[in-house]
Structures are given as structure tokens and as C-alpha cells.
Amino acid sequence: MNINHISSYGKKPEDLWLEAADWIYNVYDVDAIERIYLYGDGASWIKEGLKWLPKAKLVLDKYHLNKAILQATGSQPERRREIFTAIRNRDQKHFKEIIKELHTKAASDSERKRIKDFKRYVLNNWQAISIYTEGHVSHVLSSRLSSRPMGWIPEGLRVMAEL
């Protein structure tokens, strides 16, 4: 198994994905690839990679899903376990019922908006949530760039990300 980490700061998504695709086509027999997993938060620049990489599937990472659940259930934390269970069981119908109840019991317009945004986020990434893999970013970048409190200038960040 060949592992290659490609990261950058300030690079266009298309350029990043072109670099990744070039590496894959140069290192692997693309016809023999079963699956490539793109692991991230579901942002559009990450989804762009699905267009560039053969047989790619998006995986929504647990950190961002957990963060979204916590934000959506801020005033109704007792519903968190039920949401996790519905998502884990891929029970979209039950998930929507829970969200409807959360929305009904919301105390403010801002809370209702958070719940609505959460529902859209989860449903737009439903397929990607069902696949979980070990994230390499936490092992490679996060330990250096975010585990220690420090600031980064753009040039320093670019150099560290490309190491």
C-alpha cells in the first residue's frame, strides 16, 4: 500500500486534485483500483475530488458530524444519542422525525435555523456518512499544525503543508 499525502495552502482545488490524480495514475494500475476514499467535511472543494479521482467515494469524517450534532442539539442534548443511532442505522425516516421534533421544540429562530442547516448537511452527505475510515490528516497535519497553540503566516503554512 502506497500512501501519499498531498496538501497545500493557497492552491486552487483543481490544481490539488490534478496533482493527486497525476500521482495515482503514475503509481497505480487504475483498472486494478477498487476504491479511493476522500475523507473530509463534505465541503465543495473536497467533493470536487470526486470528479478527478477514479472510483472515488466521499467519507464524511466523524469530527465534523459530531460537531454538527452538538450544534444542532445545543438546547436538547437528550436527543443526541437518538440522532447518532438513526444515522448509524442508516434510518433516514427516523432521522427526519427526530429533526422535525427538534425543530418543533426549538426555543428561537436561530435554533430553528441551526436545526434546518444540520438536517440539510446530514441529508446532503448521507451517503458519505455511511462510510468511515481512519483519517490520515489527524496523524500527519493536525499533530503539527493544530495540536500546539501557534500562529502561522501563509508562507510558513504552505511549506509545512507540503512537507
Side-chain angles (χ1 to χ4, degrees):
M1 171 161 82
N2 295 319
I3 296 175
N4 184 36
H5 300 281
I6 299 171
S7 62
S8 183
Y9 175 79
K11 191 179 281 189
K12 293 180 188 174
E14 299 83 19
D15 293 338
L16 183 87
W17 292 118
L18 179 59
E19 183 180 342
D22 283 346
W23 182 81
I24 289 167
Y25 280 91
N26 286 327
V27 172
Y28 291 99
D29 173 6
V30 175
D31 293 330
I33 293 174
E34 290 182 36
R35 183 90 56 242
I36 295 174
Y37 293 105
L38 295 181
Y39 190 79
D41 64 358
S44 61
W45 78 269
I46 293 172
K47 288 181 177 180
E48 175 73 19
L50 296 171
K51 300 174 189 174
W52 291 85
L53 304 181
K55 304 173 188 172
K57 293 280 187 188
L58 179 66
V59 179
L60 192 73
D61 68 74
K62 289 182 183 181
Y63 170 80
H64 287 93
L65 177 60
N66 290 341
K67 180 179 173 185
I69 291 171
L70 291 174
Q71 288 174 343
T73 60
S75 68
Q76 300 179 57
E78 69 279 0
R79 303 308 299 268
R80 291 176 185 156
R81 182 178 301 276
E82 194 176 1
I83 290 171
F84 279 113
T85 300
I87 291 171
R88 186 179 59 246
N89 293 338
R90 299 178 186 160
D91 188 345
Q92 202 174 96
K93 181 181 175 189
H94 189 218
F95 172 78
K96 289 177 182 178
E97 290 169 358
I98 299 165
I99 296 303
K100 185 176 180 180
E101 292 170 14
L102 278 174
H103 194 269
T104 301
K105 293 180 181 178
S108 68
D109 287 341
S110 63
E111 185 179 357
R112 281 186 280 282
K113 182 182 181 328
R114 275 195 313 274
I115 293 166
K116 182 180 176 182
D117 291 346
F118 168 67
K119 177 184 178 184
R120 184 180 322 107
Y121 179 69
V122 169
L123 294 178
N124 285 345
N125 290 291
W126 191 263
Q127 189 72 15
I129 291 170
S130 66
I131 308 168
Y132 285 114
T133 61
E134 178 65 26
H136 293 106
V137 172
S138 63
H139 299 298
V140 178
L141 293 178
S142 293
S143 63
R144 180 66 179 112
L145 299 177
S146 64
S147 67
R148 298 174 193 92
M150 55 180 72
W152 293 91
I153 62 170
E155 179 61 18
L157 180 59
R158 186 191 60 73
V159 170
M160 287 303 301
E162 292 179 358
L163 280 176

